[in-house]
Amino acid sequence: MARRYDSSTTTFSPEGRLHQVEYAIEAINNAGTSVGILAKDGVVMASEKKITSGLLAPARTSEKTYKLCPHATCSVAGLTADANILIDQARLRAGRYGYQYQEPIPIENLVEHVCNYKQAYTQYGGLRPFGVAFLFAGYDEHHGFQLYQSDPSGNYSGWKATVIGANNQAGKSLLKSEYGSAKEEEEGEGGDEMKTDEDASEVIEMPDLAEACRLAVKVLNKTMDGAVASPEKLELFTMKLDEDGSCVHKILNEDEAKAVIAEVDAETASAGDS
């Protein structure tokens, strides 16, 4: 029964599913992993670089992390060719908003625009969904640093830490246990009393940038199918504010990435000894 609905992106199956959108999401689950972590003083994004051939010339720019405007960046998991179209749309929207209103575009406004564009490709005939998921990282003066995830259906959501791409469930389970310091002993206090958003935010203490970088490497170690982490196989990106309040985008060089990996290896070894 389901096969007759496979080729259409605009027709629901009797179970209420859009199979082509689900297949696009499944394609992303086989792509290189990307991790996003919100820190006290910035955002960290780490990506797995899949090397298909040693004969390929090294890329001059990152193939996983793209700057959208001075205060926003995205990380890609899926088809890079599809991502390029959406990245162009995001850059165009950010530029037009800045020209029209003479101020930087709010991050959620930018994410929503890209997701509306993606959603249209699931509703009109003759089109196929974009086979790409994004992690958006950015900063604005109203809400500070923010991290969003979006998928081919056009849905988006805000996160403190998340993973997209291959083995993302294993990465998310590690983040649940490692991100911040959950005060489990306080969960039983208060019985069934309702908790506000402020109460929930107090449970988790956000890490700083250095801790977030180490946690991102730990997640990639778990999701990369036993491969040993190295600067050639992963890319670390940080966003923070400088003294003037401007966003600084930085992809860690080989030596800096090696130092972070060495810290993680030392921490893992000491934990194993104890």
Side-chain angles (χ1 to χ4, degrees), residues 25 28-29 33-37 46 77 133-135 147-152 155-180 204 215-224:
I25 293 173
I28 293 160
N29 291 336
T33 311
S34 289
V35 185
I37 300 176
F134 287 101
L135 292 178
L147 177 68
Y148 292 93
Q149 173 188 340
S150 77
D151 62 34
N155 285 328
Y156 72 91
S157 50
W159 293 79
K160 288 185 173 70
T162 189
V163 185
I164 57 175
N167 299 325
N168 61 78
Q169 290 301 324
K172 287 176 181 176
S173 65
L174 179 63
L175 285 173
K176 281 182 183 178
S177 60
E178 295 277 346
Y179 182 84
I204 294 179
L215 179 54
V217 172
K218 285 183 185 177
V219 173
L220 288 182
N221 275 336
K222 187 162 186 176
T223 60
M224 288 197 318

Side-chain angles (χ1 to χ4, degrees), residues 53-81:
S53 172
L55 299 176
L56 283 172
R60 293 183 177 86
T61 58
S62 172
E63 296 179 342
K64 294 290 288 185
T65 308
Y66 298 85
K67 185 176 179 180
L68 304 177
C69 56
H71 65 293
T73 302
C74 70
S75 184
V76 173
L79 301 177
T80 307

Side-chain angles (χ1 to χ4, degrees), residues 1 13 21 143 158 169 181 191 232:
M1 175 69 75
S13 72
V21 176
H143 301 289
Q169 290 301 324
S181 54
E232 296 79 26

Side-chain angles (χ1 to χ4, degrees), residues 196-213:
T196 63
D197 291 340
E198 289 78 15
D199 294 329
S201 64
E202 290 173 1
V203 173
I204 294 179
E205 181 182 347
M206 296 170 68
D208 59 26
L209 272 179
E211 292 171 350
C213 284

